[in-house]
Amino acid sequence: MEKKKVFSEAAELFDLPADLVAGLAHVEMMGNRHFYMEHHQGILSYSGEEIDINGGTLIVRVRGQGLELVSMTGDALRIKGEIQRVEWEI
């Protein structure tokens, strides 16, 4: 059975979002000051102007001024600062 179909059926069976079941990255932003990401696979590079995050199948690049990694667990991270741009690189 195709992997996508299995995830889709499992999500439907348990009434869960398909991206959650598939383990895909989940990103939230509050204005241009706070960035939150679940299901990351680590930080690739870090500076006050750019933070690159391994999202598994993609790289998430947060750009801005005064960026700071506020918290990070094995599954989620939070960044604060003046976020000017978020890019996805496949």
Side-chain angles (χ1 to χ4, degrees), residues 15-69:
D15 196 26
L16 296 169
D19 58 342
L20 178 66
V21 174
L24 299 176
H26 173 89
V27 172
E28 293 182 21
M29 287 192 63
M30 293 182 62
N32 69 336
R33 295 286 179 184
H34 297 276
F35 175 91
Y36 174 75
M37 181 173 172
E38 291 180 329
H39 307 296
H40 71 86
Q41 294 182 8
I43 299 290
L44 300 172
S45 67
Y46 180 95
S47 74
E49 290 78 40
E50 182 175 300
I51 300 175
D52 291 345
I53 308 161
N54 183 348
T57 59
L58 58 106
I59 296 171
V60 178
R61 181 168 290 127
V62 180
R63 295 183 185 217
Q65 297 294 317
L67 299 179
E68 181 182 337
L69 184 62

Side-chain angles (χ1 to χ4, degrees), residues 5-16:
K5 187 174 181 181
V6 170
F7 287 138
S8 177
E9 288 178 5
E12 187 176 323
L13 176 67
F14 295 106
D15 196 26
L16 296 169

